[in-house]
């Protein structure tokens, strides 16, 4: 598939990330394609659904499985704005996603090449073709802006004389960055 098609689908994932942002969620979005058509979408819903597993990739995988009426997503491609974490990388393997395309690398939690590479581990029974860095600056920018604003709001609250105990955004003196 031409690189511009990957960019087109990452742009669709960015639209999903913006939906998460509007809800106050960490802005990560994903789409899944089959035969070059989007069959499922997802964005982070951890906070709004009180579900730690409701990452964009997991939401999209669940939607794709329902759409195809199959828990195996052979020949499907997942496009996501940030490199999947270990939980999501595991879900890609179990779902048998054939290809992963992501925007920004995640040096703190990325499990598709940054800190580890679960999706291409020869000890596992399935591997996922992986391309990273597609529209990286756009995808990285959304996440960075979100966390910059979160930190700025926390710091403004603290500097106004409120203690960490009085700030609902802080717990035990550390930022609560859901």
């Amino acid at each position: 598939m031409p690189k511009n098609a990957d960019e087109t689908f990452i742009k669709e994932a960015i639209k999903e990330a913006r939906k998460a942002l509007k809800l106050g969620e960490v802005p990560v979005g994903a789409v899944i394609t089959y035969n070059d058509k989007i069959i499922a979408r997802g964005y982070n819903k951890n906070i709004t659904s009180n579900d730690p597993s409701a990452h964009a990739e997991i939401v999209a995988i669940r939607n794709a499985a329902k759409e195809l009426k199959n828990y195996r997503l052979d020949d499907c491609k997942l496009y996501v704005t940030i490199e999947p974490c270990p939980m999501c990388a595991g879900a890609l393997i179990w779902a048998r996603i054939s290809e992963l395309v992501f925007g920004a690398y995640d040096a703190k939690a990325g499990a598709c090449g940054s800190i580890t590479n679960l999706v291409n581990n020869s000890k596992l029974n399935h591997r996922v073709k992986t391309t990273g860095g597609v529209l990286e600056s756009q995808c990285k920018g959304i996440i960075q802006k979100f966390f910059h604003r979160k930190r700025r709001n926390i710091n403004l609250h603290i500097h106004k004389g409120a203690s960490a105990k009085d700030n609902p955004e802080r717990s035990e003196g550390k930022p609560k960055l859901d």
Side-chain angles (χ1 to χ4, degrees), residues 30-32 40-42 55-65 73 78:
V31 297
I32 295 179
R41 297 172 176 268
H55 289 197
E57 301 94 322
I58 302 291
V59 172
I61 287 170
R62 289 175 180 156
N63 291 336
L73 302 177
L78 184 134

Side-chain angles (χ1 to χ4, degrees), residues 113-135:
S114 289
I115 63 169
T116 191
N117 195 341
L118 290 178
V119 295
N120 286 297
N121 185 322
S122 63
K123 293 181 180 179
L124 297 174
N125 65 342
H126 178 72
R127 274 157 288 305
V128 181
K129 180 181 175 192
T130 304
T131 303
V134 177
L135 298 178

Side-chain angles (χ1 to χ4, degrees), residues 6-178:
D6 284 349
E7 290 179 1
T8 296
F9 291 127
I10 285 290
K11 286 177 183 176
E12 290 297 316
I14 290 170
K15 288 179 186 177
E16 295 301 307
R18 289 189 178 120
K19 291 176 184 177
L21 183 62
K22 286 180 183 176
L23 295 174
E25 299 273 2
V26 175
V28 178
V31 297
I32 295 179
T33 63
Y34 181 72
N35 292 331
D36 299 328
K37 291 186 176 78
I38 295 174
I39 61 163
R41 297 172 176 268
Y43 55 88
N44 273 6
K45 296 181 179 182
N46 308 70
I47 299 165
T48 54
S49 67
N50 294 311
D51 180 357
S53 71
H55 289 197
E57 301 94 322
I58 302 291
V59 172
I61 287 170
R62 289 175 180 156
N63 291 336
K66 286 178 187 171
E67 177 67 23
L68 295 178
K69 295 176 178 40
N70 195 334
Y71 72 102
R72 294 257 170 109
L73 302 177
D74 298 311
D75 301 319
C76 288
K77 288 177 74 169
L78 184 134
Y79 295 84
V80 63
T81 56
I82 193 164
E83 180 181 359
C85 71
M87 175 183 70
C88 293
L92 294 176
I93 294 164
W94 292 118
R96 305 295 196 270
I97 295 284
S98 64
E99 191 169 345
L100 163 68
V101 178
F102 65 86
Y105 287 86
D106 186 349
K108 293 182 180 178
C112 301
S114 289
I115 63 169
T116 191
N117 195 341
L118 290 178
V119 295
N120 286 297
N121 185 322
S122 63
K123 293 181 180 179
L124 297 174
N125 65 342
H126 178 72
R127 274 157 288 305
V128 181
K129 180 181 175 192
T130 304
T131 303
V134 177
L135 298 178
E136 183 173 15
S137 62
Q138 287 176 280
C139 294
K140 189 176 185 180
I142 293 167
I143 296 276
Q144 286 179 332
K145 186 183 277 187
F146 172 80
F147 283 112
H148 175 75
R149 285 181 181 161
K150 275 266 211 211
R151 284 189 286 279
R152 184 170 170 234
N153 288 341
I154 290 167
N155 289 335
L156 285 174
H157 190 78
I158 299 287
H159 292 304
K160 288 182 182 178
S163 70
K165 187 189 243 185
D166 298 330
N167 186 346
E169 292 288 324
R170 294 183 59 90
S171 172
E172 298 178 11
K174 295 181 182 174
K176 182 181 177 190
L177 300 176
D178 299 325

